[in-house]
Amino acid sequence: MRGSREGLKGARGHADIQGMQRFGVLATAGAAVTIGLAPVVPLVMAHDRDAFDVPTIHFYAVSATALMCAALAVVLGVVGIRRHDRRSAAIGAGFTVMAALLAVHGLTTPGFLVEAEYTSAVGVSGALAVPLGGGVILAALLSRPRDRTHLRDLVLLQIGVLVATVGFGSIALLDPDVIPSIPVALRPLVWWIVGVNALIYGALALRALRTFQLTRRVGDLAVVAGLVWLAVAVGTYLLSPVWSVGFWAGHVLELGAFLVISAALASDLARATPSRALHSDIDVQSVVTEEEALLGAWVARLLARLADKDTSTREHTRRVAQLAVAVGQHMGLRGSRLRGLAVAALLHDVGKLQVPDEILTKAAPLTPAEFAVIKRHPSDGATLLGHIGGFASEIPLVRGHHERLDGSGYPDGLRGDELTLEVRILGACDVYDALTSERVYRRPYTQPQALTILDQARGSAFDSDVLDALSAVVGAAPSIHLQEAA
């Protein structure tokens, strides 16, 4: 009867935690939408009111700010590529398209560089700048590069974007009649542009919102707000009369979104250490100790936040990475497989960002409900890396580092051949380091004692060859008689 009551209590506790998390997700989504739409609603309500008919302001203000933003976007993309940060590089490329086309939009204001009363270039560039930029960002983030570290595809994308936008701008200024017009008076076409833009940035905002739910970082919430602004900016601009409040509001929202999102990305890049290219002949052990250079600016910030949340967890991931790489080398892993193991080991506990502090740092054994929360960190970590992008080969290792050969692990209960060699290595090294590390409620086990505990599950939970390699790497053997550490 007592066991039944305890089980019921644990189930209720787990249900309470799940309910709180569902409430937290809804509250987060509500806050993000509110923050994003707060400056938009009053502008939309007054969108058709006259503002000021001053083409001079449109020419100089839009052109100057857009050219400045285009230069900053190029810098953002180049720095993102050099830091191996796919997220920053992708947004930099997309913002280059957006800002460059908006610069063309400003420069082709009738009566200045272009003498005609109206040219199609000013309408086409203004209508398509934001949707095309968003399309570039979405395509780059959803692509699956063959080599995460080199980002060659984004280098080519950045070059292509620059060439295309400079070419379009040159044609727009030198021979504007070549560019076909977009009949903005034709509402079905305008609504198509507005709808596609809203879908693109809605998808990006949803992706960013899910990421914020995992990271709880203000910078990621700012990205959500900026993407919401871009989702509505084109509609505000195209569906409002020229020189009206809505016309100018669309331009302001575009600039505000650019500045907010770029500031969040620049903050990440500024706090990251310089990175270097990774080749197959590098010393991966040294790479493990330079994880910020290996992983990119944004991931480095997440790991720093994990260190602030729980120092022991961050130190644990470093040790596991060093040990897993050594075991992998001993078992013959080379090149990209060994680098992937190093990266996955460094990131395997990033899902603990979702675990409440009172559970993660609890100085006593966990209750069943608390352990159920802890058991979600492999899947949470895999989800987070999926949102970041560029970690396709590492995600299965992060998700599977608590799986066991006999199917007793979590979160998917994989067994046997479903566990790759890298997953088996990471799982054994993770447990070994946990056993040999000091805990508040116990002293660390010695190396022979820890190996003995693992050896008791040889062939059932843990791979025999992996355990042999682990023993060889740490230079110890299982003890014949295990004495529990005091």
Side-chain angles (χ1 to χ4, degrees):
M1 180 67 69
R2 180 180 179 183
S4 299
R5 287 197 299 269
E6 290 178 350
L8 181 59
K9 182 178 179 181
R12 288 176 176 172
H14 181 44
D16 290 342
I17 292 173
Q18 286 184 319
M20 292 174 62
Q21 290 192 334
R22 283 193 295 268
F23 176 79
V25 169
L26 293 175
T28 299
V33 172
T34 300
I35 292 173
L37 293 180
V40 176
V41 173
L43 295 175
V44 172
M45 293 178 64
H47 76 97
D48 57 348
R49 297 183 181 179
D50 293 336
F52 43 90
D53 181 354
V54 185
T56 303
I57 294 180
H58 186 268
F59 174 78
Y60 287 106
V62 174
S63 301
T65 55
L67 286 171
M68 178 187 67
C69 290
L72 292 175
V74 171
V75 172
L76 177 65
V78 171
V79 174
I81 290 171
R82 296 186 63 182
R83 298 288 178 86
H84 304 157
D85 192 315
R86 188 172 188 83
R87 180 195 192 214
S88 298
I91 293 178
F95 276 7
T96 300
V97 173
M98 185 189 310
L101 288 177
L102 288 175
V104 173
H105 175 65
L107 291 171
T108 52
T109 302
F112 295 88
L113 298 180
V114 178
E115 296 182 356
E117 292 185 2
Y118 177 81
T119 65
S120 57
V122 67
V124 171
S125 57
L128 299 183
V130 177
L132 288 179
V136 170
I137 297 172
L138 187 61
L141 291 178
L142 294 181
S143 64
R144 294 184 176 274
R146 289 176 294 178
D147 189 342
R148 175 185 58 81
T149 58
H150 291 105
L151 300 175
R152 291 192 182 95
D153 57 331
L154 288 183
V155 174
L156 296 175
L157 176 63
Q158 188 77 4
I159 294 174
V161 161
L162 288 173
V163 172
T165 51
V166 170
F168 177 82
S170 300
I171 295 174
L173 293 173
L174 298 176
D175 192 3
D177 293 335
V178 174
I179 299 175
S181 63
I182 293 180
V184 293
L186 188 60
R187 282 308 188 195
L189 178 59
V190 172
W191 278 110
W192 269 105
I193 297 174
V194 171
V196 170
N197 181 77
L199 287 175
I200 290 174
Y201 285 99
L204 289 171
L206 181 60
R207 181 188 180 102
L209 176 61
R210 289 174 176 171
T211 301
F212 170 72
Q213 291 170 354
L214 292 169
T215 65
R216 298 294 194 270
R217 297 195 320 154
V218 175
D220 293 322
L221 183 59
V223 172
V224 176
L227 292 171
V228 171
W229 295 348
L230 290 174
V232 300
V234 172
T236 304
Y237 162 71
L238 288 180
L239 299 177
S240 302
V242 178
W243 313 125
S244 66
V245 171
F247 174 87
W248 290 108
H251 290 72
V252 172
L253 287 173
E254 290 164 354
L255 176 62
F258 179 93
L259 294 177
V260 167
I261 296 174
S262 296
L265 298 178
S267 176
D268 286 344
L269 291 170
R271 288 168 172 77
T273 58
S275 59
R276 54 183 173 80
L278 301 178
H279 304 283
S280 58
D281 56 352
I282 62 173
D283 179 3
V284 185
Q285 285 281 18
S286 67
V287 173
V288 171
T289 64
E290 301 170 5
E291 73 286 347
E292 288 185 348
L294 176 68
L295 299 175
W298 195 43
V299 179
R301 288 291 303 279
L302 294 181
L303 293 179
R305 185 172 182 270
L306 181 60
D308 293 338
K309 186 180 181 72
D310 182 26
T311 303
S312 63
T313 296
R314 186 67 193 96
E315 294 172 348
H316 163 73
T317 60
R318 287 193 179 103
R319 292 192 302 268
V320 170
Q322 293 283 1
L323 185 58
V325 167
V327 172
Q329 286 177 324
H330 187 85
M331 299 189 72
L333 292 184
R334 296 290 184 270
S336 61
R337 291 186 68 184
L338 197 58
R339 292 199 305 273
L341 177 59
V343 175
L346 288 165
L347 297 174
H348 76 276
D349 275 342
V350 72
K352 287 184 178 179
L353 286 170
Q354 278 285 80
V355 178
D357 293 347
E358 60 271 18
I359 296 178
L360 189 60
T361 60
K362 184 177 180 180
L366 299 176
T367 66
E370 292 169 338
F371 185 59
V373 174
I374 287 285
K375 288 173 67 175
R376 288 199 292 270
H377 82 267
S379 56
D380 285 342
T383 300
L384 175 56
L385 294 180
H387 292 321
I388 295 174
F391 292 94
S393 60
E394 290 84 7
I395 288 175
L397 279 67
V398 172
R399 184 177 179 88
H401 72 276
H402 278 289
E403 301 289 354
R404 300 293 179 256
L405 287 177
D406 57 6
S408 61
Y410 58 87
D412 301 311
L414 303 180
R415 62 174 61 241
D417 293 339
E418 293 177 313
L419 278 68
T420 65
L421 177 58
E422 288 90 332
V423 168
R424 302 180 191 200
I425 292 173
L426 183 54
C429 293
D430 181 40
V431 173
Y432 174 84
D433 187 78
L435 292 172
T436 55
S437 301
E438 187 170 0
R439 293 290 186 265
V440 177
Y441 50 88
R442 67 159 173 82
R443 294 175 57 187
Y445 289 95
T446 65
Q447 288 183 338
Q449 289 173 336
L451 290 172
T452 299
I453 294 175
L454 291 171
D455 204 58
Q456 290 173 345
R458 175 183 290 268
S460 56
F462 300 106
D463 184 279
S464 299
D465 293 335
V466 171
L467 295 185
D468 290 341
L470 178 60
S471 296
V473 166
V474 300
S479 58
I480 298 176
H481 299 290
L482 174 64
Q483 295 180 351
E484 184 176 354

